[in-house]
């Protein structure tokens, strides 16, 4: 399974971190395309407009009291053309949004 995880500052500022793991067998057509992610309505938001596969929003939550980071995702994967949202809730303060993708 290929995972693409990208974190971008909630303010759409400079720093970005990318981690990509690629297998050798999945075709490009089976992955989501035209994807975007941001902080919207106080939640991490992800949307892909085409391709195949699945994706979901990732929220990077910071707990200032403990100085720790927690990354949370919705339990449901969505197909292109659908929106995915995730809030931090008790996990901490939302600082960044990202996207998690898989072939389908």
């Amino acid at each position: 399974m290929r995972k693409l995880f990208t974190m971008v500052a909630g303010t759409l500022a400079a720093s970005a971190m990318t981690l990509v793991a690629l297998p050798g067998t999945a075709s490009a057509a089976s992955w989501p395309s035209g994807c975007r992610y941001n902080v919207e309505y106080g939640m991490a938001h992800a949307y892909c407009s085409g391709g195949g596969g699945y994706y979901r929003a990732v929220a990077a939550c910071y707990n200032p009291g403990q100085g720790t980071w927690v990354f949370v995702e919705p339990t449901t994967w969505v197909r292109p053309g659908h929106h995915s949202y995730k809030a931090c809730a008790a996990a901490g303060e939302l600082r960044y949004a990202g996207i998690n993708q898989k072939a389908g």
Side-chain angles (χ1 to χ4, degrees), residues 21-68:
L22 301 170
T25 58
S27 70
S30 67
W31 291 90
S33 63
C35 300
R36 67 178 197 264
Y37 48 90
N38 62 343
V39 174
E40 188 174 292
Y41 307 116
M43 295 181 280
H45 168 249
Y47 179 81
C48 296
S49 60
Y54 301 88
Y55 62 94
R56 57 188 175 188
V58 178
C61 311
Y62 182 70
N63 183 324
Q66 297 179 357
T68 57

Side-chain angles (χ1 to χ4, degrees), residues 2-97:
R2 178 183 96 168
K3 277 193 175 182
L4 169 66
F5 184 79
T6 306
M7 300 301 300
V8 175
T11 60
L12 303 177
S15 67
M17 172 182 73
T18 304
L19 171 63
V20 179
L22 301 170
T25 58
S27 70
S30 67
W31 291 90
S33 63
C35 300
R36 67 178 197 264
Y37 48 90
N38 62 343
V39 174
E40 188 174 292
Y41 307 116
M43 295 181 280
H45 168 249
Y47 179 81
C48 296
S49 60
Y54 301 88
Y55 62 94
R56 57 188 175 188
V58 178
C61 311
Y62 182 70
N63 183 324
Q66 297 179 357
T68 57
W69 287 89
V70 176
F71 299 89
V72 293
E73 304 177 19
T75 56
T76 305
W77 292 89
V78 297
R79 288 221 176 249
H82 297 277
H83 296 269
S84 176
Y85 290 94
K86 184 62 182 175
C88 287
E93 302 169 358
L94 177 62
R95 296 286 179 91
Y96 304 102

